[in-house]
Amino acid sequence: MGLVSRGAAEAGRGAASAVDRPGPPDAVPNPTPTPPAEGADPGSSRSPGMVLKAFFPTCCASADSGLLVGRWVPEQSSAVVLAVVHFPFIPIQVKELLAQVQQASQVGVTVLGTWCHRRQEPEESLGHFLEGLGAIFSHRPWFQLCRERGSKSWSCKATHWQGPASPAASGEDQVMLIFYDQRKVLLSQLHPPTALPDRQAGDTTASAGGLAAVFDTVARSEALFQSDRFDEGPVRLSHWQSEGMEASILVELAKWAAGPVCLFLACLLSLISAASACRVFKLWPLSFIWSKLSTCEQLRHRLEQLTLIFSTRKAESPAQLMRKANMLVSVLLDVALGLMLLSWLHRKDLIGQLADALIPVADRVAEELQHLLQWLMGAPAGLKMNRALDQVLGRFFLYHIHLWISYIHLMSPFIERILWHVGLSACLGLTVALSILSDIIALLTFHIYCFYVYGARLYCLKIHGLSSLWRLFRGKKWNVLRQRVDSCSYDLDQLFIGTLLFTILVFLLPTTALYYLVFTLLRLLVVAVQGLIHLLVDLINSLPLYSLGLRLCRPYRLAAGVKFRVLEHETGRPLRLLMQINPLPYSRVVHTYRLPTCGCHPKHSWGSLCRKLFFGELIYPWRQRGNKQD
């Protein structure tokens, strides 16, 4: 990267002259190419055969003279240089090396041209020798890249060789020299850019295809950069090499030990899955309870994640590997947070304090509910209620409160032990503890749920009765077979009975609606608390922590594209650019690598929720299987 810092001054002068020029930023005219604006694909709008792009690694800028080894991409008129073969060498040995690299990486690696680093005055013999190599390694076009003494000026030209017999019949093309960091391009994963509305689809595809070809070439040639694998023979290369042999040894040992561990855990998880799929657990009472409890849904979700993580099957794509890494980090963080919660609860003896405070809190809640019912049985807010129905409903709900508080006092000797075992479940993860907390809240507020169901059913019955009787007045009826409203003629007796029933339901509706409104608000409060807990559980389950860590620490690993910076733009010299990686935005990282959740809670729109509340339909805290969600 020293080349970049030395060319910063020249970049400012070249960029200033390029930005002020009219015309599209990515156009490259002939014969003097205009530097593209930052973020544009150089040469994307040029005619074929006019300007060639040569991607040169910055790590080879100070390498000795030799051959340029890489891949030619004819669709993009681009040459991706991967390494430099140094002198002295034997041509047959170079060809054998290229055959080994092609077999290991499945990339069409070939000799693209010559590289000359003139640390001293160039010799005539070296110049003639470099020119003669084009006849031995016949490639079209043939690049001749040279770095002058002092590292301030470069020369690059491409010649179309017709063959060994007529080397003089050649034509030169202009070359745009683009430097890239081989390590960053190798380790990064290029994501397809989102199409912009003001750009043509063809331009976007061409630009993305050209960059994808460069990234794919470097990524598939990883075998060339590993531990001097191809440097041990008679041919000497210059390219990026991984550093830290001690760390590499530790990584290899970890990989060697991970195989038996993953095999053992995969067998253990398969036994657990087989035990959970037993027919005994599929009987109606158990299957119904397990499908409604958040804890069972969360345990099933974690079991699926662990099965995928410790699977011995190799990931088929980088996306699957990233998904496994995100799942592993999510599980580890979940368990770590659970252990911290467990340590905090036991260190301060909060479980005993919570058990001692649970009975007084339950009594207080029951007392407040009794005061609320007594207020409703009187004249709430000065409203005139139907006294008979008001007394029946109030006494009915008071009896349920009495039954529930008796059940709580009966369970009081076992509450501390139950909470102790619930606290131990935090070692399975914070999400499991939160799911158990949600289920405990549902069990402790079961009487509120019963009040809500009774009030909602009674209110819904009256609403449907009033709507049916209203159709009777208009001479309409609901056709059950055709599922539509048809015309119908009623006699005098039917109209009289309908009028009587309609009047009774209208006068009883305010009392029923008041009870339904009060208990619906209490129910929505409980559902809101459970919704916040489920939201936190889904956040821990779905957040791609590993991808976000890569974006924070190594932003080049997740690439959304590239931008180009001008290093040199002078007349008579090749245009030199520096390709830099644009990191993926955080919002797109979350959207791309977001993990699936168990989804045990309903997803209603605001319109659907208001419709259900108005017509008295029940709002369940879980998703009904087999029914479509709004």
Side-chain angles (χ1 to χ4, degrees), residues 541-569:
N541 285 334
S542 62
L543 199 62
L545 299 173
Y546 179 77
S547 300
L548 290 175
L550 282 182
R551 175 60 181 85
L552 179 63
C553 301
R554 296 184 177 182
Y556 59 86
R557 291 291 300 271
L558 303 176
V562 299
K563 59 183 178 181
F564 297 89
R565 186 161 64 90
V566 179
L567 296 180
E568 181 183 10
H569 180 224

PDB file of all heavy atoms in Angstrom, residues 541-569:
ATOM      1  N   ASN A 541     -32.428 -14.473  18.520  1.00  0.00           N
ATOM      2  CA  ASN A 541     -32.410 -15.606  17.597  1.00  0.00           C
ATOM      3  C   ASN A 541     -32.040 -15.201  16.174  1.00  0.00           C
ATOM      4  O   ASN A 541     -31.397 -15.967  15.454  1.00  0.00           O
ATOM      5  CB  ASN A 541     -33.775 -16.297  17.582  1.00  0.00           C
ATOM      6  CG  ASN A 541     -34.025 -17.126  18.819  1.00  0.00           C
ATOM      7  OD1 ASN A 541     -33.090 -17.588  19.471  1.00  0.00           O
ATOM      8  ND2 ASN A 541     -35.275 -17.300  19.184  1.00  0.00           N
ATOM      9  N   SER A 542     -32.465 -14.028  15.752  1.00  0.00           N
ATOM     10  CA  SER A 542     -32.341 -13.667  14.342  1.00  0.00           C
ATOM     11  C   SER A 542     -31.193 -12.720  14.038  1.00  0.00           C
ATOM     12  O   SER A 542     -30.839 -12.552  12.867  1.00  0.00           O
ATOM     13  CB  SER A 542     -33.644 -13.014  13.861  1.00  0.00           C
ATOM     14  OG  SER A 542     -33.900 -11.810  14.574  1.00  0.00           O
ATOM     15  N   LEU A 543     -30.613 -12.071  15.038  1.00  0.00           N
ATOM     16  CA  LEU A 543     -29.577 -11.083  14.762  1.00  0.00           C
ATOM     17  C   LEU A 543     -28.298 -11.756  14.266  1.00  0.00           C
ATOM     18  O   LEU A 543     -27.747 -12.620  14.948  1.00  0.00           O
ATOM     19  CB  LEU A 543     -29.278 -10.276  16.025  1.00  0.00           C
ATOM     20  CG  LEU A 543     -28.580  -8.929  15.825  1.00  0.00           C
ATOM     21  CD1 LEU A 543     -29.470  -8.016  14.987  1.00  0.00           C
ATOM     22  CD2 LEU A 543     -28.278  -8.277  17.158  1.00  0.00           C
ATOM     23  N   PRO A 544     -27.803 -11.406  13.075  1.00  0.00           N
ATOM     24  CA  PRO A 544     -26.556 -12.009  12.556  1.00  0.00           C
ATOM     25  C   PRO A 544     -25.326 -11.383  13.199  1.00  0.00           C
ATOM     26  O   PRO A 544     -24.682 -10.480  12.645  1.00  0.00           O
ATOM     27  CB  PRO A 544     -26.639 -11.721  11.052  1.00  0.00           C
ATOM     28  CG  PRO A 544     -27.440 -10.481  10.952  1.00  0.00           C
ATOM     29  CD  PRO A 544     -28.419 -10.494  12.094  1.00  0.00           C
ATOM     30  N   LEU A 545     -24.978 -11.851  14.369  1.00  0.00           N
ATOM     31  CA  LEU A 545     -23.907 -11.232  15.146  1.00  0.00           C
ATOM     32  C   LEU A 545     -22.544 -11.415  14.493  1.00  0.00           C
ATOM     33  O   LEU A 545     -21.706 -10.510  14.516  1.00  0.00           O
ATOM     34  CB  LEU A 545     -23.903 -11.817  16.561  1.00  0.00           C
ATOM     35  CG  LEU A 545     -25.190 -11.585  17.358  1.00  0.00           C
ATOM     36  CD1 LEU A 545     -25.137 -12.342  18.670  1.00  0.00           C
ATOM     37  CD2 LEU A 545     -25.393 -10.104  17.608  1.00  0.00           C
ATOM     38  N   TYR A 546     -22.289 -12.575  13.921  1.00  0.00           N
ATOM     39  CA  TYR A 546     -20.988 -12.809  13.284  1.00  0.00           C
ATOM     40  C   TYR A 546     -20.799 -11.894  12.074  1.00  0.00           C
ATOM     41  O   TYR A 546     -19.717 -11.309  11.894  1.00  0.00           O
ATOM     42  CB  TYR A 546     -20.878 -14.274  12.862  1.00  0.00           C
ATOM     43  CG  TYR A 546     -19.571 -14.613  12.182  1.00  0.00           C
ATOM     44  CD1 TYR A 546     -18.403 -14.775  12.919  1.00  0.00           C
ATOM     45  CD2 TYR A 546     -19.514 -14.775  10.805  1.00  0.00           C
ATOM     46  CE1 TYR A 546     -17.199 -15.076  12.296  1.00  0.00           C
ATOM     47  CE2 TYR A 546     -18.312 -15.090  10.170  1.00  0.00           C
ATOM     48  CZ  TYR A 546     -17.162 -15.233  10.919  1.00  0.00           C
ATOM     49  OH  TYR A 546     -15.978 -15.529  10.308  1.00  0.00           O
ATOM     50  N   SER A 547     -21.836 -11.731  11.271  1.00  0.00           N
ATOM     51  CA  SER A 547     -21.739 -10.842  10.112  1.00  0.00           C
ATOM     52  C   SER A 547     -21.563  -9.393  10.549  1.00  0.00           C
ATOM     53  O   SER A 547     -20.791  -8.640   9.940  1.00  0.00           O
ATOM     54  CB  SER A 547     -22.999 -10.989   9.246  1.00  0.00           C
ATOM     55  OG  SER A 547     -23.140 -12.311   8.784  1.00  0.00           O
ATOM     56  N   LEU A 548     -22.271  -8.988  11.606  1.00  0.00           N
ATOM     57  CA  LEU A 548     -22.098  -7.630  12.106  1.00  0.00           C
ATOM     58  C   LEU A 548     -20.694  -7.426  12.680  1.00  0.00           C
ATOM     59  O   LEU A 548     -20.118  -6.335  12.547  1.00  0.00           O
ATOM     60  CB  LEU A 548     -23.154  -7.336  13.172  1.00  0.00           C
ATOM     61  CG  LEU A 548     -24.594  -7.208  12.673  1.00  0.00           C
ATOM     62  CD1 LEU A 548     -25.547  -7.039  13.850  1.00  0.00           C
ATOM     63  CD2 LEU A 548     -24.736  -6.038  11.716  1.00  0.00           C
ATOM     64  N   GLY A 549     -20.138  -8.462  13.325  1.00  0.00           N
ATOM     65  CA  GLY A 549     -18.769  -8.366  13.811  1.00  0.00           C
ATOM     66  C   GLY A 549     -17.766  -8.226  12.677  1.00  0.00           C
ATOM     67  O   GLY A 549     -16.802  -7.451  12.768  1.00  0.00           O
ATOM     68  N   LEU A 550     -17.980  -8.970  11.588  1.00  0.00           N
ATOM     69  CA  LEU A 550     -17.111  -8.819  10.413  1.00  0.00           C
ATOM     70  C   LEU A 550     -17.228  -7.418   9.822  1.00  0.00           C
ATOM     71  O   LEU A 550     -16.222  -6.814   9.431  1.00  0.00           O
ATOM     72  CB  LEU A 550     -17.480  -9.856   9.356  1.00  0.00           C
ATOM     73  CG  LEU A 550     -16.984 -11.286   9.563  1.00  0.00           C
ATOM     74  CD1 LEU A 550     -17.406 -12.151   8.389  1.00  0.00           C
ATOM     75  CD2 LEU A 550     -15.485 -11.336   9.729  1.00  0.00           C
ATOM     76  N   ARG A 551     -18.456  -6.922   9.755  1.00  0.00           N
ATOM     77  CA  ARG A 551     -18.646  -5.571   9.200  1.00  0.00           C
ATOM     78  C   ARG A 551     -17.972  -4.523  10.075  1.00  0.00           C
ATOM     79  O   ARG A 551     -17.471  -3.499   9.563  1.00  0.00           O
ATOM     80  CB  ARG A 551     -20.151  -5.286   9.082  1.00  0.00           C
ATOM     81  CG  ARG A 551     -20.510  -3.876   8.634  1.00  0.00           C
ATOM     82  CD  ARG A 551     -19.932  -3.571   7.267  1.00  0.00           C
ATOM     83  NE  ARG A 551     -20.259  -2.227   6.873  1.00  0.00           N
ATOM     84  CZ  ARG A 551     -19.577  -1.137   7.214  1.00  0.00           C
ATOM     85  NH1 ARG A 551     -18.485  -1.250   7.968  1.00  0.00           N
ATOM     86  NH2 ARG A 551     -19.948   0.051   6.799  1.00  0.00           N
ATOM     87  N   LEU A 552     -17.923  -4.734  11.385  1.00  0.00           N
ATOM     88  CA  LEU A 552     -17.319  -3.757  12.289  1.00  0.00           C
ATOM     89  C   LEU A 552     -15.796  -3.852  12.291  1.00  0.00           C
ATOM     90  O   LEU A 552     -15.108  -2.822  12.228  1.00  0.00           O
ATOM     91  CB  LEU A 552     -17.871  -3.961  13.697  1.00  0.00           C
ATOM     92  CG  LEU A 552     -17.327  -3.035  14.786  1.00  0.00           C
ATOM     93  CD1 LEU A 552     -17.699  -1.594  14.469  1.00  0.00           C
ATOM     94  CD2 LEU A 552     -17.853  -3.441  16.155  1.00  0.00           C
ATOM     95  N   CYS A 553     -15.267  -5.064  12.377  1.00  0.00           N
ATOM     96  CA  CYS A 553     -13.812  -5.251  12.506  1.00  0.00           C
ATOM     97  C   CYS A 553     -13.108  -5.344  11.160  1.00  0.00           C
ATOM     98  O   CYS A 553     -12.022  -4.782  10.994  1.00  0.00           O
ATOM     99  CB  CYS A 553     -13.525  -6.503  13.337  1.00  0.00           C
ATOM    100  SG  CYS A 553     -14.221  -6.463  15.006  1.00  0.00           S
ATOM    101  N   ARG A 554     -13.680  -6.054  10.212  1.00  0.00           N
ATOM    102  CA  ARG A 554     -13.092  -6.212   8.885  1.00  0.00           C
ATOM    103  C   ARG A 554     -14.138  -5.860   7.839  1.00  0.00           C
ATOM    104  O   ARG A 554     -14.785  -6.748   7.266  1.00  0.00           O
ATOM    105  CB  ARG A 554     -12.586  -7.641   8.676  1.00  0.00           C
ATOM    106  CG  ARG A 554     -11.444  -8.015   9.622  1.00  0.00           C
ATOM    107  CD  ARG A 554     -10.912  -9.393   9.300  1.00  0.00           C
ATOM    108  NE  ARG A 554      -9.790  -9.739  10.143  1.00  0.00           N
ATOM    109  CZ  ARG A 554      -9.109 -10.884  10.039  1.00  0.00           C
ATOM    110  NH1 ARG A 554      -9.468 -11.778   9.128  1.00  0.00           N
ATOM    111  NH2 ARG A 554      -8.093 -11.127  10.843  1.00  0.00           N
ATOM    112  N   PRO A 555     -14.337  -4.589   7.566  1.00  0.00           N
ATOM    113  CA  PRO A 555     -15.423  -4.205   6.653  1.00  0.00           C
ATOM    114  C   PRO A 555     -15.241  -4.718   5.231  1.00  0.00           C
ATOM    115  O   PRO A 555     -16.228  -4.863   4.505  1.00  0.00           O
ATOM    116  CB  PRO A 555     -15.404  -2.673   6.696  1.00  0.00           C
ATOM    117  CG  PRO A 555     -14.160  -2.288   7.392  1.00  0.00           C
ATOM    118  CD  PRO A 555     -13.633  -3.454   8.133  1.00  0.00           C
ATOM    119  N   TYR A 556     -14.001  -5.004   4.816  1.00  0.00           N
ATOM    120  CA  TYR A 556     -13.791  -5.477   3.449  1.00  0.00           C
ATOM    121  C   TYR A 556     -14.284  -6.904   3.242  1.00  0.00           C
ATOM    122  O   TYR A 556     -14.428  -7.345   2.094  1.00  0.00           O
ATOM    123  CB  TYR A 556     -12.306  -5.396   3.086  1.00  0.00           C
ATOM    124  CG  TYR A 556     -11.390  -6.198   3.984  1.00  0.00           C
ATOM    125  CD1 TYR A 556     -11.147  -7.540   3.747  1.00  0.00           C
ATOM    126  CD2 TYR A 556     -10.764  -5.601   5.074  1.00  0.00           C
ATOM    127  CE1 TYR A 556     -10.315  -8.273   4.579  1.00  0.00           C
ATOM    128  CE2 TYR A 556      -9.932  -6.326   5.905  1.00  0.00           C
ATOM    129  CZ  TYR A 556      -9.717  -7.660   5.655  1.00  0.00           C
ATOM    130  OH  TYR A 556      -8.896  -8.401   6.482  1.00  0.00           O
ATOM    131  N   ARG A 557     -14.548  -7.645   4.306  1.00  0.00           N
ATOM    132  CA  ARG A 557     -15.010  -9.028   4.141  1.00  0.00           C
ATOM    133  C   ARG A 557     -16.386  -9.094   3.488  1.00  0.00           C
ATOM    134  O   ARG A 557     -16.706 -10.056   2.791  1.00  0.00           O
ATOM    135  CB  ARG A 557     -15.048  -9.715   5.505  1.00  0.00           C
ATOM    136  CG  ARG A 557     -13.681  -9.974   6.123  1.00  0.00           C
ATOM    137  CD  ARG A 557     -12.922 -11.034   5.359  1.00  0.00           C
ATOM    138  NE  ARG A 557     -13.625 -12.286   5.333  1.00  0.00           N
ATOM    139  CZ  ARG A 557     -13.506 -13.245   6.244  1.00  0.00           C
ATOM    140  NH1 ARG A 557     -12.702 -13.054   7.270  1.00  0.00           N
ATOM    141  NH2 ARG A 557     -14.165 -14.373   6.140  1.00  0.00           N
ATOM    142  N   LEU A 558     -17.230  -8.097   3.730  1.00  0.00           N
ATOM    143  CA  LEU A 558     -18.557  -8.032   3.126  1.00  0.00           C
ATOM    144  C   LEU A 558     -18.585  -6.820   2.212  1.00  0.00           C
ATOM    145  O   LEU A 558     -18.731  -5.688   2.665  1.00  0.00           O
ATOM    146  CB  LEU A 558     -19.641  -7.929   4.202  1.00  0.00           C
ATOM    147  CG  LEU A 558     -19.651  -9.051   5.241  1.00  0.00           C
ATOM    148  CD1 LEU A 558     -20.698  -8.779   6.298  1.00  0.00           C
ATOM    149  CD2 LEU A 558     -19.890 -10.393   4.582  1.00  0.00           C
ATOM    150  N   ALA A 559     -18.411  -7.072   0.916  1.00  0.00           N
ATOM    151  CA  ALA A 559     -18.251  -5.990  -0.054  1.00  0.00           C
ATOM    152  C   ALA A 559     -19.563  -5.747  -0.790  1.00  0.00           C
ATOM    153  O   ALA A 559     -20.215  -6.687  -1.258  1.00  0.00           O
ATOM    154  CB  ALA A 559     -17.142  -6.326  -1.055  1.00  0.00           C
ATOM    155  N   ALA A 560     -19.960  -4.473  -0.872  1.00  0.00           N
ATOM    156  CA  ALA A 560     -21.134  -4.090  -1.654  1.00  0.00           C
ATOM    157  C   ALA A 560     -20.754  -3.593  -3.041  1.00  0.00           C
ATOM    158  O   ALA A 560     -21.620  -3.334  -3.861  1.00  0.00           O
ATOM    159  CB  ALA A 560     -21.911  -3.000  -0.919  1.00  0.00           C
ATOM    160  N   GLY A 561     -19.477  -3.461  -3.317  1.00  0.00           N
ATOM    161  CA  GLY A 561     -18.985  -2.948  -4.584  1.00  0.00           C
ATOM    162  C   GLY A 561     -17.586  -2.387  -4.391  1.00  0.00           C
ATOM    163  O   GLY A 561     -16.937  -2.626  -3.371  1.00  0.00           O
ATOM    164  N   VAL A 562     -17.142  -1.654  -5.357  1.00  0.00           N
ATOM    165  CA  VAL A 562     -15.808  -1.057  -5.292  1.00  0.00           C
ATOM    166  C   VAL A 562     -15.885   0.394  -5.720  1.00  0.00           C
ATOM    167  O   VAL A 562     -16.860   0.830  -6.342  1.00  0.00           O
ATOM    168  CB  VAL A 562     -14.797  -1.812  -6.180  1.00  0.00           C
ATOM    169  CG1 VAL A 562     -14.651  -3.252  -5.746  1.00  0.00           C
ATOM    170  CG2 VAL A 562     -15.200  -1.737  -7.644  1.00  0.00           C
ATOM    171  N   LYS A 563     -14.869   1.136  -5.357  1.00  0.00           N
ATOM    172  CA  LYS A 563     -14.686   2.500  -5.827  1.00  0.00           C
ATOM    173  C   LYS A 563     -13.243   2.644  -6.306  1.00  0.00           C
ATOM    174  O   LYS A 563     -12.350   1.915  -5.858  1.00  0.00           O
ATOM    175  CB  LYS A 563     -15.002   3.511  -4.733  1.00  0.00           C
ATOM    176  CG  LYS A 563     -14.152   3.362  -3.480  1.00  0.00           C
ATOM    177  CD  LYS A 563     -14.588   4.350  -2.413  1.00  0.00           C
ATOM    178  CE  LYS A 563     -13.764   4.152  -1.139  1.00  0.00           C
ATOM    179  NZ  LYS A 563     -14.182   5.086  -0.071  1.00  0.00           N
ATOM    180  N   PHE A 564     -13.013   3.567  -7.206  1.00  0.00           N
ATOM    181  CA  PHE A 564     -11.707   3.738  -7.818  1.00  0.00           C
ATOM    182  C   PHE A 564     -11.164   5.126  -7.497  1.00  0.00           C
ATOM    183  O   PHE A 564     -11.896   6.119  -7.554  1.00  0.00           O
ATOM    184  CB  PHE A 564     -11.795   3.558  -9.337  1.00  0.00           C
ATOM    185  CG  PHE A 564     -12.231   2.179  -9.756  1.00  0.00           C
ATOM    186  CD1 PHE A 564     -13.566   1.887  -9.909  1.00  0.00           C
ATOM    187  CD2 PHE A 564     -11.294   1.188  -9.966  1.00  0.00           C
ATOM    188  CE1 PHE A 564     -13.969   0.626 -10.282  1.00  0.00           C
ATOM    189  CE2 PHE A 564     -11.688  -0.076 -10.343  1.00  0.00           C
ATOM    190  CZ  PHE A 564     -13.034  -0.361 -10.495  1.00  0.00           C
ATOM    191  N   ARG A 565      -9.885   5.163  -7.160  1.00  0.00           N
ATOM    192  CA  ARG A 565      -9.194   6.407  -6.874  1.00  0.00           C
ATOM    193  C   ARG A 565      -8.044   6.578  -7.855  1.00  0.00           C
ATOM    194  O   ARG A 565      -7.284   5.643  -8.107  1.00  0.00           O
ATOM    195  CB  ARG A 565      -8.670   6.408  -5.432  1.00  0.00           C
ATOM    196  CG  ARG A 565      -8.066   7.733  -5.011  1.00  0.00           C
ATOM    197  CD  ARG A 565      -7.990   7.827  -3.495  1.00  0.00           C
ATOM    198  NE  ARG A 565      -7.098   6.826  -2.920  1.00  0.00           N
ATOM    199  CZ  ARG A 565      -5.802   7.024  -2.718  1.00  0.00           C
ATOM    200  NH1 ARG A 565      -5.250   8.171  -3.055  1.00  0.00           N
ATOM    201  NH2 ARG A 565      -5.077   6.080  -2.185  1.00  0.00           N
ATOM    202  N   VAL A 566      -7.931   7.774  -8.399  1.00  0.00           N
ATOM    203  CA  VAL A 566      -6.916   8.043  -9.424  1.00  0.00           C
ATOM    204  C   VAL A 566      -5.556   8.188  -8.756  1.00  0.00           C
ATOM    205  O   VAL A 566      -5.395   8.959  -7.808  1.00  0.00           O
ATOM    206  CB  VAL A 566      -7.269   9.323 -10.207  1.00  0.00           C
ATOM    207  CG1 VAL A 566      -6.193   9.610 -11.254  1.00  0.00           C
ATOM    208  CG2 VAL A 566      -8.630   9.192 -10.868  1.00  0.00           C
ATOM    209  N   LEU A 567      -4.573   7.431  -9.254  1.00  0.00           N
ATOM    210  CA  LEU A 567      -3.195   7.538  -8.775  1.00  0.00           C
ATOM    211  C   LEU A 567      -2.316   8.342  -9.717  1.00  0.00           C
ATOM    212  O   LEU A 567      -1.437   9.086  -9.279  1.00  0.00           O
ATOM    213  CB  LEU A 567      -2.593   6.136  -8.587  1.00  0.00           C
ATOM    214  CG  LEU A 567      -3.249   5.246  -7.523  1.00  0.00           C
ATOM    215  CD1 LEU A 567      -2.542   3.909  -7.470  1.00  0.00           C
ATOM    216  CD2 LEU A 567      -3.223   5.921  -6.162  1.00  0.00           C
ATOM    217  N   GLU A 568      -2.528   8.193 -11.009  1.00  0.00           N
ATOM    218  CA  GLU A 568      -1.709   8.920 -11.988  1.00  0.00           C
ATOM    219  C   GLU A 568      -2.514   9.099 -13.263  1.00  0.00           C
ATOM    220  O   GLU A 568      -3.159   8.160 -13.755  1.00  0.00           O
ATOM    221  CB  GLU A 568      -0.419   8.158 -12.301  1.00  0.00           C
ATOM    222  CG  GLU A 568       0.481   8.892 -13.291  1.00  0.00           C
ATOM    223  CD  GLU A 568       1.721   8.087 -13.646  1.00  0.00           C
ATOM    224  OE1 GLU A 568       1.772   6.900 -13.263  1.00  0.00           O
ATOM    225  OE2 GLU A 568       2.619   8.638 -14.298  1.00  0.00           O
ATOM    226  N   HIS A 569      -2.527  10.322 -13.751  1.00  0.00           N
ATOM    227  CA  HIS A 569      -3.185  10.613 -15.017  1.00  0.00           C
ATOM    228  C   HIS A 569      -2.371  11.684 -15.740  1.00  0.00           C
ATOM    229  O   HIS A 569      -2.550  12.876 -15.536  1.00  0.00           O
ATOM    230  CB  HIS A 569      -4.629  11.096 -14.771  1.00  0.00           C
ATOM    231  CG  HIS A 569      -5.347  11.419 -16.038  1.00  0.00           C
ATOM    232  ND1 HIS A 569      -6.128  12.544 -16.185  1.00  0.00           N
ATOM    233  CD2 HIS A 569      -5.377  10.771 -17.233  1.00  0.00           C
ATOM    234  CE1 HIS A 569      -6.619  12.566 -17.410  1.00  0.00           C
ATOM    235  NE2 HIS A 569      -6.193  11.499 -18.053  1.00  0.00           N
TER     236      HIS A 569
END
